[in-house]
Amino acid sequence: MSSLTPGRRRSWPTRSRVALTDVVVSGPPEAVLRWLWSRASPGGPSAVTVEGPPEAVSELRRRTVTATQ
């Protein structure tokens, strides 16, 4: 298992049942975690890049909330 070093960018591709399209969320680990937990600073520039169709991104967020309850 690799360890994360400060400032290192990681991305986690996932498959969605909404469509067979990849959603890629990338950025510094701390920023990605804040994005997944809906704790990103509102109105400020985001260090997170999200690629994929909006419905698949919404499904990823919904599943993350369900999995971390």
Side-chain angles (χ1 to χ4, degrees):
M1 179 174 211
S2 65
S3 61
L4 296 177
T5 55
R8 183 174 173 196
R9 292 185 171 272
R10 298 285 305 258
S11 63
W12 293 270
T14 185
R15 291 275 180 197
S16 170
R17 286 187 183 171
V18 173
L20 292 178
T21 304
D22 286 340
V23 173
V24 178
V25 180
S26 60
E30 302 84 14
V32 171
L33 288 175
R34 284 193 303 271
W35 180 86
L36 285 170
W37 296 333
S38 298
R39 301 285 191 253
S41 301
S46 178
V48 174
T49 302
V50 181
E51 299 173 15
E55 62 276 1
V57 173
S58 295
E59 181 68 10
L60 171 63
R61 304 260 336 229
R62 185 191 68 74
R63 288 179 182 214
T64 300
V65 168
T66 300
T68 59
Q69 295 282 330

